[in-house]
Amino acid sequence: MARPKGDPSPPDMTMQDTADYMKVSINTVRARIADGTLPAVRIGRSRLVRLRRSDIDEALMHMSD
């Protein structure tokens, strides 16, 4: 899922926020990140992962096809 250069939306949603927004379990979010369906940004060397709402919306559109 290519993102236009200069995408202004910051990666600010947690995996739990994403699961709530998508109405799925957090394990589903993890699986979608692992299989590349849902792009995520790892913050530093920590376990913190953040997602962009625009990426989530795009993934939801493709999942409904």
Side-chain angles (χ1 to χ4, degrees):
M1 290 178 209
R3 185 173 24 268
K5 283 189 175 185
D7 183 359
S9 77
D12 60 356
M13 294 185 71
T14 65
M15 285 197 291
Q16 185 62 58
D17 293 338
T18 302
D20 294 342
Y21 182 71
M22 293 176 71
K23 296 183 172 75
V24 298
S25 73
I26 196 163
N27 288 334
T28 300
V29 173
R30 286 187 180 114
R32 297 295 169 247
I33 291 169
D35 72 13
T37 307
L38 196 55
V41 176
R42 186 169 301 278
I43 308 297
R45 294 180 131 174
S46 69
R47 295 178 60 194
L48 292 177
V49 173
R50 296 293 181 262
L51 299 98
R52 286 182 176 84
R53 185 173 300 240
S54 58
D55 291 336
I56 298 164
D57 290 337
E58 188 173 334
L60 284 171
M61 285 188 337
H62 290 292
M63 286 181 207
S64 66
D65 289 344

